[in-house]
Amino acid sequence: MIENEKYLDRALLEYCNSDAYPFHMPGHKRQTMGNWNCEAIDITEITGFDNLHHAEGILLKAQQRAAQTFGADESFFLVNGSTAGLLAAVCGTVKKGGRLLMARNCHKAVYHAVYLMELQTEYLYPEQTEFGIQGSIAPEEVQRMLEQYPDTQAVLLTSPTYDGVVSDIAAIAEIVHAHQIPLIVDEAHGAHFGFSERFPKKAISYGADLCIESVHKTLPAYTQTALLHYRKNPWVDLERVKRYLGIYQSSSPSYVLMAGIDRCTRILREQGTTLFAAFEQQLHDFYQSCENLQYISVFPENGNDDGIWDRDSSKILICAEAVGLHGQDLADLLTQKYHLELEMASGHYATALTSIMDTKEGFDRLFAALEEIDQSFHDGSDDLEKENGQQIFTTDAIYRPAKKVMKISEAMDAPKEKVKLLESAGSVSGEFVYLYPPGIPILAPGELVTPEILDALATCQKRNMEVQGMKDFSGIWLEICQDNVS
């Protein structure tokens, strides 16, 4: 036995008994939602409890309730997360070797579907913003790309993004449907949309044909639970999508997870109005308090930016560059000193994810911590790297347009050799390189490695950001395609 070995179950119990507060997913925020004994309800497909892959009884009714509650024509439980829904949506709408028009800031799961189906990809790049985050996808750009690539079989967007940025889905859906193809929206971070006027409406209500939502991210549900919503349309072969759901989902779906989705539906139907009203007030009070911070900046509650069509204010974006703290520095300080765990840190900001299950105490603790940090530091902005008065290392500096040399499937299956990552300029990447979270590729297989991309990765590593995707967990070595080494 390893000395001081700690088992996961005991480590989790120890952690949940601490004063750590979660400004991260899952959306239940570790709040008890019922007196469940998980072992007692952990069953398999026994008499009276239906079968998710052949739902005719209680699970069919549960999915129908979800569809009615979330505003879809049909909804499907996902116990392998939004990942399973994205894989099924792409594989179910784009034929093998076909062309997909997708936002470049899609989650890695979309790229995995591209690999599995050996797809050709064309990218939609988000607009730039003053705050330095990735903005919306412009409808005009969708129109331009569809005219340039008329053989496109589907369009896929991420809305909202990890930062809460929403695109004009109604306008984009109209453009996409004029080309008689489906619009898929990764709305993983927007499951709470549509239940309050404060938040944007759901993509499915704006004309999206397939929409994937992670109920566990922003609603009271267990990690790994999500929904695939379908709107009746002539462009999606629903039976084909369902076939892929059967492939990418476990043949032994957890009844604990499925019951968690159904309970979430019940909470929304019975308590949603009250919970969202309290949540709205807590968010408003927090943002109002943050207006008094001198150096730390919080993206405003109702603040839109050039390049942002709409935004979800439940994602709290905090920039402390003016006190000398980069995104990861701020997240680390909040964790270590104040026991507040944030969802994500990027180059110049950190993100606190909130939900209807957050408490007033949690919001008060976060503001008190920011206020203390704000008052404890001098204005160190003159010492920060700047260019033309703007912070250099924004999100746009991390996620740069990359040149495609090979299809993702060709690059992933090509012969490889290892080179040092920071010496790989001019080569073609044979693997993904991304920050996790959010899981958006900085480099995808088949893309040319440029000095600018390497500069961004070097800065990410210098700031202790989570650079992942490479087989080499140390981040030193990159696999490149042998036949395309310059």
Side-chain angles (χ1 to χ4, degrees), residues 100-382:
L100 174 68
L101 177 59
M102 57 183 281
R104 184 60 174 82
N105 61 345
C106 282
H107 187 266
K108 61 180 181 177
V110 178
Y111 290 85
H112 293 161
V114 167
Y115 165 67
L116 291 169
M117 297 298 285
E118 300 179 1
L119 302 184
Q120 303 177 69
T121 55
E122 306 303 333
Y123 296 128
L124 296 161
Y125 284 89
E127 298 186 69
Q128 296 186 352
T129 68
E130 184 178 346
F131 190 77
I133 60 176
Q134 293 184 317
S136 305
I137 298 295
E140 299 78 12
E141 184 64 9
V142 177
Q143 176 68 37
R144 186 186 71 81
M145 292 292 283
L146 286 176
E147 290 175 355
Q148 185 175 351
Y149 299 99
D151 61 340
T152 298
Q153 296 180 18
V155 176
L156 196 155
L157 307 178
T158 299
S159 179
T161 66
Y162 224 108
D163 299 315
V165 173
V166 177
S167 294
D168 186 352
I169 298 300
I172 292 171
E174 185 176 354
I175 293 168
V176 172
H177 294 158
H179 289 77
Q180 299 185 347
I181 56 175
L183 173 63
I184 306 165
V185 177
D186 177 359
E187 201 170 57
H189 277 272
H192 60 295
F193 284 9
F195 294 104
S196 163
E197 291 185 1
R198 177 189 182 87
F199 301 109
K201 293 182 180 179
K202 291 185 178 295
I204 206 80
S205 70
Y206 280 128
D209 302 298
L210 292 171
C211 178
I212 298 92
E213 294 185 330
S214 288
V215 288
H216 78 91
K217 283 182 168 63
T218 59
L219 289 175
Y222 292 127
T223 296
Q224 202 172 309
T225 54
L227 291 165
L228 171 64
H229 301 303
Y230 166 75
R231 182 187 68 86
K232 289 181 181 177
N233 66 87
W235 303 289
V236 173
D237 181 348
L238 185 59
E239 290 304 312
R240 180 180 169 90
V241 174
K242 289 164 67 174
R243 183 199 317 159
Y244 279 102
L245 279 176
I247 293 172
Y248 293 122
Q249 296 235 79
S250 170
S251 60
S252 300
S254 165
Y255 275 81
V256 175
L257 297 183
M258 291 188 290
I261 299 174
D262 203 25
R263 178 176 59 183
C264 177
T265 299
R266 185 175 73 249
I267 290 171
L268 291 171
R269 292 161 74 102
E270 296 177 356
Q271 305 172 47
T273 300
T274 301
L275 289 170
F276 272 97
F279 181 38
E280 290 173 17
Q281 188 62 53
Q282 289 174 343
L283 274 175
H284 176 71
D285 293 345
F286 175 82
Y287 278 107
Q288 197 168 48
S289 297
C290 289
E291 292 177 0
N292 298 317
L293 297 174
Q294 186 175 0
Y295 302 124
I296 293 176
S297 61
V298 175
F299 196 99
E301 177 181 16
N302 299 313
N304 274 345
D305 200 335
D306 288 341
I308 295 179
W309 185 78
D310 199 1
R311 203 186 79 85
D312 169 20
S313 60
S314 74
K315 276 76 173 174
I316 300 173
L317 311 185
I318 310 165
C319 178
E321 292 273 289
V323 298
L325 295 174
H326 302 310
Q328 191 64 54
D329 298 330
L330 175 62
D332 290 343
L333 179 60
L334 288 171
T335 297
Q336 294 163 11
K337 183 174 180 180
Y338 301 97
H339 302 168
L340 301 171
E341 190 75 35
L342 300 195
E343 172 65 26
M344 183 187 76
S346 190
H348 69 297
Y349 69 98
T351 302
L353 189 151
T354 63
S355 83
I356 57 175
M357 301 302 290
D358 274 294
T359 64
K360 183 178 184 300
E361 177 203 1
F363 279 106
D364 289 345
R365 282 179 60 183
L366 179 59
F367 175 72
L370 296 180
E371 185 178 44
E372 183 172 289
I373 296 169
D374 191 68
Q375 294 175 352
S376 298
F377 286 80
H378 71 286
D379 182 4
S381 58
D382 292 339

Side-chain angles (χ1 to χ4, degrees), residues 104 123 125 400-404 442-444 447-448 450 453:
R104 184 60 174 82
Y123 296 128
Y125 284 89
R400 298 172 176 271
K403 179 182 178 182
K404 288 188 301 178
I442 298 172
L443 266 175
E447 291 180 343
L448 183 68
T450 65
I453 290 173

